[in-house]
Amino acid sequence: GRTAEQLDPLSEQIGVQLGMRLTAARRFEEAVQQYQKVLGIHPESVFAKFQLANALTVLKRYDQAIEVFLSRKGPDPSANFALGLTYGLAGRKDEARKVLNKLLEKRKSAYLPPSQIAIVYAGLGEKEPAWAWLEQSWNDRAWIVDGMGVDPLFDAFRSDPRFQDLLRKMNLPYAR
């Protein structure tokens, strides 16, 4: 990662990938610095902002994370599952539920991975609906990230033995 960055220090993609590696290693403060560095060069990078906001969420810097999420360019930055998670973890349940309702509405007319719904429910602390949607993701072979074993978006599930069972079923690393 660092070698690629040295070869092409202005690359948005390489910079974000390096941040993601730091995130996977759970070096969140360094990841935040890396994403901020990318945004210094590419201030409108939607992907860098998404990853930065997720790292800030893990660090419980919820207000900052929400501000970054909402600053992203796109059709509706407030209809984002990771923002819903952050609202829920921040105790802003009404706003999390608004995000959830937008996602459920969107799902009626377009594909939306069930795991995204699960993540918002997890942020709300509603474990059973969260698990139902996560299981649906597995049953559909829908979007579940390869790095789910380390991805902070799934931290709310990590302490549940069902999560380790799911990782084993998926044959993913980090199943303990």
Side-chain angles (χ1 to χ4, degrees):
R2 295 251 183 237
T3 303
E5 187 188 40
Q6 287 164 355
L7 292 172
D8 190 356
L10 301 180
S11 169
E12 176 184 358
Q13 184 177 0
I14 291 171
V16 172
Q17 289 293 327
L18 178 54
M20 290 172 68
R21 287 175 189 263
L22 291 165
T23 298
R26 304 191 83 74
R27 292 163 54 185
F28 300 114
E29 288 290 355
E30 290 173 75
V32 165
Q33 291 169 10
Q34 177 62 28
Y35 297 130
Q36 287 171 333
K37 181 176 163 185
V38 172
L39 288 165
I41 301 164
H42 305 280
E44 293 306 318
S45 171
V46 173
F47 196 40
K49 284 184 177 186
F50 179 79
Q51 296 297 337
L52 170 60
N54 285 332
L56 290 168
T57 295
V58 176
L59 292 168
K60 298 187 165 114
R61 289 156 54 185
Y62 301 126
D63 290 343
Q64 258 185 294
I66 290 164
E67 186 180 322
V68 172
F69 274 128
L70 294 176
S71 74
R72 295 169 72 223
K73 299 277 188 247
D76 185 357
S78 69
N80 179 286
F81 71 99
L83 172 63
L85 169 70
T86 303
Y87 276 140
L89 294 173
R92 293 166 67 171
K93 306 286 187 188
D94 289 345
E95 287 153 296
R97 207 158 290 291
K98 282 180 190 168
V99 172
L100 181 62
N101 291 335
K102 284 182 182 188
L103 295 175
L104 290 169
E105 191 59 36
K106 181 179 174 184
R107 196 170 151 78
K108 291 177 184 175
S109 60
Y111 176 72
L112 188 81
S115 53
Q116 292 188 7
I117 305 291
I119 286 167
V120 180
Y121 272 118
L124 284 162
E126 297 180 18
K127 287 192 183 260
E128 292 317 307
W131 272 103
W133 283 95
L134 200 59
E135 283 291 328
Q136 184 65 48
S137 242
W138 165 247
N139 294 335
D140 293 355
R141 300 301 190 266
W143 177 83
I144 298 184
V145 291
D146 290 340
M148 193 167 122
V150 293
D151 192 322
L153 286 168
F154 293 92
D155 280 359
F157 294 97
R158 212 164 296 289
S159 63
D160 192 309
R162 292 176 288 186
F163 187 72
Q164 298 306 322
D165 291 342
L166 182 60
L167 292 178
R168 274 191 286 279
K169 272 200 294 193
M170 293 169 65
N171 199 25
L172 284 180
Y174 306 102
R176 304 180 196 54

